[in-house]
Amino acid sequence: MIFRFSFLLMLCLPTFALAQDRTPSHCVALANAAPGLEYVTLATLPEVTAETVYLHYIAHASFLIRSHGALNIVTDYTGFTGTLPFVPDVITMNHAHDSHWTNFVDPAIPHPLKGWGPFGEGIDHKLELDEVLIRNVSTDIRSPYGGVEPKGNSIFVFEMAGLCIGHLGHLHHEPDAGQYAALGRVDVVMAPVDGGYTLDQPTMIAILKRLKSSIVIPMHWFSEAALRDFLRGMADEFSIVEVGGPSLTVAMDKLPSRPTIMVLRPAYIDVAR
C-alpha cells in the first residue's frame, strides 16, 4: 500500500512541512488561494513522477486525476470507482443526471465539490491543495421538469504540473464569451460526445475546435457509432490516437505538437490493476 504519510507523522510534523509548491499554470491568474492540506490515501495506485499527471477513465464521465504528490481527484463521482478501496481527496459532481453525482458521499472524503448550488445561483470553487488548484465555471442545464436551470452544471478546471485540465461535465450549451474567458487556455479537456443527452455533435465539435486543446479525451459516449461520428467530425483538425486502455500520463513538455484526440477505454479501478 502507498501511504501519503503515516498518521503519526501527520501529528508530529509542523504544518509548514506539509506544503508543496504548485507549478503555475497559464490558464488564468487567480488570487486569494487558500493553503491546502495533505490526506492519507489507503490505496495501491501508480506512482506519478514530478510535473506529470495521471488520468484514468473510470466510467461514463468519471475520471481519476492523480497528481505527482499523490492527491487523488475523481470527477462526476457516483460513489463507485471499482473494487480497489481508496478514499479520494477530492470529488466533483454535477446533477443533470444521477449518473454524475451521489447523495451518499463517504464522509471520509475531505473535499466533496458540488457543481451546483441553490436553484439558479450556481456555486464558486477555488480550492488549492498543495500542487493542485481546482476551480469551476458554472453553465446552465436543461431542467428535468422542462425549462432551464441556470448555473446547474460546472466545468471543473484542475491546474497542476503547469497544465490546465478541464472537465466539461454535463454541458448543455456552448459557453458564452465570459465563460470562455473564465476557462482560459485548457491543455487537456474531457468532453461529452454522446450527441444528444448533452450537446449535439456539431456544437460540441465547434466548442472543441475553438478551445484548441492539445489533448481531447472523449467521454460520455453510449455507442461506438457515436464515438466514430465524433472522431470523423474532428479528424480534419485533430490527430486521433487509440490509446488502447483506460489510462494516460500527461506532462506540459510532452504535449503533442498537433491537437490530438486520445481515445481511452473506460475501466473501473480494480484490485488486480
Side-chain angles (χ1 to χ4, degrees):
M1 292 187 181
I2 297 173
F3 290 83
R4 300 292 313 278
F5 46 79
S6 70
F7 183 69
L8 179 61
L9 185 61
M10 183 173 64
L11 291 176
C12 296
L13 282 178
T15 55
F16 64 79
L18 303 180
Q20 298 185 30
D21 292 330
R22 175 172 57 83
T23 302
S25 67
H26 55 184
C27 317
V28 291
L30 290 174
N32 301 319
L37 298 173
E38 292 191 75
Y39 299 92
V40 176
T41 302
L42 305 177
T44 303
L45 291 169
E47 296 283 354
V48 181
T49 58
E51 301 307 313
T52 64
V53 180
Y54 173 80
L55 304 172
H56 180 109
Y57 187 12
I58 298 170
H60 202 55
S62 290
F63 288 81
L64 169 65
I65 304 173
R66 183 167 165 84
S67 75
H68 68 262
L71 279 168
N72 295 305
I73 304 158
V74 176
T75 67
D76 280 32
Y77 180 77
T78 62
F80 182 73
T81 59
T83 59
L84 183 67
F86 81 103
V87 178
D89 299 284
V90 182
I91 60 171
T92 66
M93 297 183 289
N94 277 299
H95 79 148
H97 298 288
D98 59 8
S99 52
H100 297 258
W101 67 291
T102 177
N103 257 332
F104 306 101
V105 174
D106 185 339
I109 296 172
H111 299 284
L113 305 183
K114 290 183 176 180
W116 71 98
F119 188 92
E121 296 182 17
I123 196 165
D124 292 313
H125 296 293
K126 291 178 184 177
L127 174 66
E128 185 153 10
L129 298 174
D130 303 319
E131 70 272 12
V132 180
L133 173 65
I134 303 170
R135 59 186 178 87
N136 72 306
V137 177
S138 291
T139 64
D140 303 341
I141 59 171
R142 296 182 295 271
S143 170
Y145 308 106
V148 172
E149 179 180 348
K151 299 182 178 180
N153 175 77
S154 279
I155 299 172
F156 280 94
V157 179
F158 310 91
E159 300 188 28
M160 51 204 300
L163 294 163
C164 293
I165 300 172
H167 186 287
L168 296 185
H170 213 277
L171 189 62
H172 287 177
H173 63 87
E174 181 172 7
D176 61 26
Q179 290 162 335
Y180 273 122
L183 282 176
R185 168 68 186 175
V186 181
D187 301 295
V188 181
V189 63
M190 295 89 150
V193 301
D194 54 272
Y197 288 97
T198 54
L199 278 172
D200 62 275
Q201 289 202 352
T203 302
M204 181 56 68
I205 288 169
I207 291 168
L208 295 172
K209 288 183 176 180
R210 173 167 175 169
L211 288 175
K212 288 186 170 62
S213 299
S214 295
I215 295 175
V216 174
I217 302 175
M219 66 173 186
H220 205 265
W221 41 274
F222 296 93
S223 70
E224 194 71 21
L227 175 62
R228 293 298 154 195
D229 284 346
F230 168 74
L231 296 178
R232 279 191 292 271
M234 295 286 285
D236 58 334
E237 296 186 24
F238 285 70
S239 299
I240 298 170
V241 174
E242 287 275 359
V243 175
S247 303
L248 181 68
T249 299
V250 296
M252 175 61 74
D253 61 354
K254 295 181 180 178
L255 291 175
S257 57
R258 184 174 189 247
T260 300
I261 299 170
M262 298 285 190
V263 180
L264 300 181
R265 298 291 169 170
Y268 288 114
I269 304 173
D270 294 330
V271 172
R273 291 188 178 278

